[in-house]
Amino acid sequence: MGNWVVNHWFSVLFLAVWFGLNVFLFVDAFLKYEKADKYYYTRKILGFCSRTLRKQLDHNLTFHKLVAYMICLHTAIHIIAHLFNFDCYSRSRQATDGSLASILSGLSHDEKKGGSWLNPIQSPNMTVKYVTFTSIAGLTGVIMTIALILMVTSATEFIRRSYFEVFWYTHHLFIFYILGLGIHGIGGIVRGQTEKSMKESHPCKCAESFEMWDDRDSHCKRPEFEGHPPESWKWILAPVILYICERILRFYRSQQKVVITKVVMHPSKVLELQMNKRGFSMEVGQYIFVNCPSISLLEWHPFTLTSAPEEDFFSIHIRAAGDWTENLIRAFEQQYSTIPRIEVDGPFGTASEDVFQYEVAVLVGAGIGVTPFASILKSIWYKFQCADHNLKTKKIYFYWICRETGAFSWFNDLLTSLEQEMEELGKVGFLNYRLFLTGWDSNIVGHAALNFDKATDILTGLKQKTSFGRPMWDNEFSKIATSHPKSVVGVFLCGPQILAKSLRKCCHRYSSLDPRKVQFYFNKENF
């Protein structure tokens, strides 16, 4: 636990401040309605008051999800509270016992004739459903709730992975949600006594003598009420301004010309695009958003950069994994047609940027998830070429897990170059890489076994032999901990959540309680 706090102290502090601010705002609003005299009569009807929140930016998606969970939680609380409120309003409007609540509920809604209502239910026959769909607050509340439900359900991992377009378009219902939030309070359903009426008939003096409000000789007059001015705009104004500014900036960057210098089709339906863009500057492990207007004007998809900062171009590898990617690959496969125009926004940072801050780095890629580590390994190759003495990293363990042999092919050239470079510089031990094939049959295994004594692997052509199955992570972490008993080890993953859980557990299990000994820190790419 101590190691986790040390590694994520800024995230903990940020979340604590954010949560504390939310608690403060909630308590402040609660006390205002609970204690303020202007809401005395509102409380009499409702009755509930008297009876019974640089690492955080790297985890922006995690924070985004946390905010979404909080919105859902508080939306549910808000809806349930209003259901209780309207139940109280309805019973008070139907009451005929002459109580204070029934008198307040019977105040006229005709403000042209001097009426000043407190209960939104105008007559005993009016239903809560009618008020919900005819009032500004009720109608906007229904619209916002439907929009929120659609956004949340379409954001599940299954929908995102299998039907990205559904997720993408549905998530933009947030526009209607924000608009509804801005006008939700205009109707003024929760009302308080006016300042003028407070001076003439303060509830502390006149609440008990409500039966004499209409008497000419009484110093207490019938109270007048007004809706609470809408305040939701105060909450959304700053985020909306920031969002608009960000969208303008991203639009400006996306309109800058992108020149596609090379197109390569790799096996397993993987498309490589090498591009140039004026003023483009990147770091290892970063990603960009890509749009192809000829396929969709609105869809932007994230792709990890596979080039190194030292190269004079930037590249991405795109695997067919849905309608958009399949259409993009098909467009570039058409040899006699014009190359589609590509728009690029970014780059943006990820956890992999910190890889060179660790003495020992463990890189784990699953399938196309190897892309951020291609950038890292390429950069290492260039650093060795230039004899960069500032390189802090002394050892890299690289694990690549794939379902089919064809997936290895586009990465082979880079690994072969690294093998040769390490041999020439006498640093064979710097890079320890393992390739794991999870989708195999007896024919592949038999073929590999017959050729096991060859100098290179029969499947990849590399000196390192391909392993069949999945890594035994306990064994791997145990070996690393033994080999580096006093090192800080950064573990980086770009892969599925189930693999992340296994690696996170191993990081915790094999980190020493002594901070002077081996420590494993887990980092995961999020898209």
Side-chain angles (χ1 to χ4, degrees), residues 89-102:
Y89 279 135
S90 179
R91 285 190 284 107
S92 297
R93 191 66 184 88
Q94 294 175 10
T96 57
D97 55 2
S99 62
L100 175 58
S102 65

Side-chain angles (χ1 to χ4, degrees), residues 140-205:
T140 55
V142 170
I143 293 173
M144 287 190 293
T145 302
I146 294 174
L148 184 62
I149 291 173
L150 292 174
M151 285 191 289
V152 171
T153 53
S154 65
T156 57
E157 185 172 0
F158 173 76
I159 298 295
R160 291 201 322 271
R161 301 296 182 189
S162 304
Y163 307 97
F164 185 84
E165 290 81 3
V166 174
F167 157 74
W168 178 261
Y169 290 116
T170 306
H171 226 58
H172 281 75
L173 289 174
F174 82 90
I175 297 174
F176 297 98
Y177 185 89
I178 294 297
L179 289 174
L181 191 61
I183 62 176
H184 185 59
I186 290 180
I189 283 185
V190 179
R191 300 166 69 83
Q193 195 171 354
T194 64
E195 293 295 332
K196 179 181 178 181
S197 178
M198 288 277 290
K199 294 178 181 179
E200 296 177 347
S201 304
H202 198 282
C204 292
K205 298 183 296 182

Side-chain angles (χ1 to χ4, degrees), residues 35 40 50 72 94 106 144 171 208 218 258 262 306 336 342 350 380 403 425 433 460 468 476 479 523:
K35 301 297 183 182
Y40 178 91
S50 60
C72 292
Q94 294 175 10
M144 287 190 293
H171 226 58
E208 299 298 328
S218 175
V258 176
K262 189 175 182 180
T306 54
Y336 301 103
I342 294 293
T350 64
I380 289 173
R403 294 180 181 176
L425 296 174
Y433 70 91
T460 63
F468 296 92
E476 300 297 329
K479 292 176 183 178
N523 303 270

Side-chain angles (χ1 to χ4, degrees), residues 262 272-276 280 282 286 288 303-308 311 313-317 371 375 378:
K262 189 175 182 180
E272 178 183 357
L273 297 179
Q274 295 184 9
M275 297 166 280
N276 277 318
F280 189 89
M282 61 163 287
Q286 291 186 322
I288 58 175
F303 294 97
T304 305
L305 291 165
T306 54
S307 53
E311 295 178 306
F313 63 88
F314 63 94
S315 65
I316 56 175
H317 285 68
T371 50
S375 175
K378 282 183 181 180

Side-chain angles (χ1 to χ4, degrees), residues 7-11 54-60 351 354 358 522-523:
N7 193 41
H8 299 280
W9 68 271
F10 185 77
S11 296
R54 193 200 87 150
K55 274 289 185 181
Q56 189 56 42
L57 294 179
D58 289 339
H59 296 287
N60 56 347
D354 298 331
Y358 293 93
F522 180 72
N523 303 270

Side-chain angles (χ1 to χ4, degrees), residues 41-55:
Y41 293 114
T42 304
R43 293 195 297 272
K44 276 297 178 181
I45 292 183
L46 300 180
F48 61 90
C49 293
S50 60
R51 294 194 298 263
T52 51
L53 209 192
R54 193 200 87 150
K55 274 289 185 181

Side-chain angles (χ1 to χ4, degrees), residues 9-308:
W9 68 271
F10 185 77
S11 296
V12 173
L13 178 62
F14 184 88
L15 289 176
V17 172
W18 176 77
F19 183 77
L21 180 62
N22 277 272
V23 171
F24 169 79
L25 292 172
F26 174 83
V27 172
D28 178 70
F30 176 84
L31 292 177
K32 177 174 66 178
Y33 289 112
E34 167 70 10
K35 301 297 183 182
D37 290 336
K38 65 186 299 183
Y39 298 105
Y40 178 91
Y41 293 114
T42 304
R43 293 195 297 272
K44 276 297 178 181
I45 292 183
L46 300 180
F48 61 90
C49 293
S50 60
R51 294 194 298 263
T52 51
L53 209 192
R54 193 200 87 150
K55 274 289 185 181
Q56 189 56 42
L57 294 179
D58 289 339
H59 296 287
N60 56 347
L61 287 182
T62 303
F63 181 68
H64 178 82
K65 292 176 183 177
L66 176 60
V67 172
Y69 295 147
M70 294 294 289
I71 290 175
C72 292
L73 173 63
H74 288 97
T75 297
I77 294 174
H78 187 81
I79 292 173
I80 292 172
H82 269 311
L83 290 176
F84 279 104
N85 291 348
F86 273 98
D87 180 64
C88 294
Y89 279 135
S90 179
R91 285 190 284 107
S92 297
R93 191 66 184 88
Q94 294 175 10
T96 57
D97 55 2
S99 62
L100 175 58
S102 65
I103 297 297
L104 293 171
S105 297
L107 296 178
S108 173
H109 279 252
D110 191 351
E111 296 185 2
K112 293 182 178 180
K113 296 182 179 180
S116 180
W117 60 274
L118 182 60
N119 192 328
I121 299 179
Q122 302 180 20
S123 69
N125 298 325
M126 184 177 290
T127 63
V128 173
K129 185 184 297 184
Y130 179 84
V131 176
T132 300
F133 287 96
T134 56
S135 64
I136 295 177
L139 190 58
T140 55
V142 170
I143 293 173
M144 287 190 293
T145 302
I146 294 174
L148 184 62
I149 291 173
L150 292 174
M151 285 191 289
V152 171
T153 53
S154 65
T156 57
E157 185 172 0
F158 173 76
I159 298 295
R160 291 201 322 271
R161 301 296 182 189
S162 304
Y163 307 97
F164 185 84
E165 290 81 3
V166 174
F167 157 74
W168 178 261
Y169 290 116
T170 306
H171 226 58
H172 281 75
L173 289 174
F174 82 90
I175 297 174
F176 297 98
Y177 185 89
I178 294 297
L179 289 174
L181 191 61
I183 62 176
H184 185 59
I186 290 180
I189 283 185
V190 179
R191 300 166 69 83
Q193 195 171 354
T194 64
E195 293 295 332
K196 179 181 178 181
S197 178
M198 288 277 290
K199 294 178 181 179
E200 296 177 347
S201 304
H202 198 282
C204 292
K205 298 183 296 182
C206 301
E208 299 298 328
S209 56
F210 66 91
E211 295 176 345
M212 298 184 295
W213 281 350
D214 294 328
D215 293 352
R216 294 182 178 180
D217 298 332
S218 175
H219 65 280
C220 293
K221 297 182 179 180
R222 186 181 294 269
E224 296 180 356
F225 301 94
E226 62 183 355
H228 190 279
E231 292 187 338
S232 55
W233 64 270
K234 299 177 183 178
W235 299 74
I236 63 176
L237 180 62
V240 167
I241 291 175
L242 288 174
Y243 176 77
I244 292 174
C245 291
E246 191 249 1
R247 296 308 303 182
I248 293 173
L249 176 61
R250 291 186 63 175
F251 177 78
Y252 169 75
R253 293 193 305 191
S254 67
Q255 295 305 303
Q256 294 176 323
K257 186 178 180 181
V258 176
V259 179
I260 300 175
T261 58
K262 189 175 182 180
V263 178
V264 182
M265 277 303 306
H266 295 284
S268 301
K269 297 197 73 174
V270 174
L271 170 69
E272 178 183 357
L273 297 179
Q274 295 184 9
M275 297 166 280
N276 277 318
K277 181 180 177 181
R278 182 181 176 184
F280 189 89
S281 178
M282 61 163 287
E283 297 293 336
V284 294
Q286 291 186 322
Y287 68 95
I288 58 175
F289 280 99
V290 176
N291 170 261
C292 183
S294 61
I295 298 176
S296 174
L297 290 172
L298 300 178
E299 288 187 45
W300 290 81
H301 293 258
F303 294 97
T304 305
L305 291 165
T306 54
S307 53

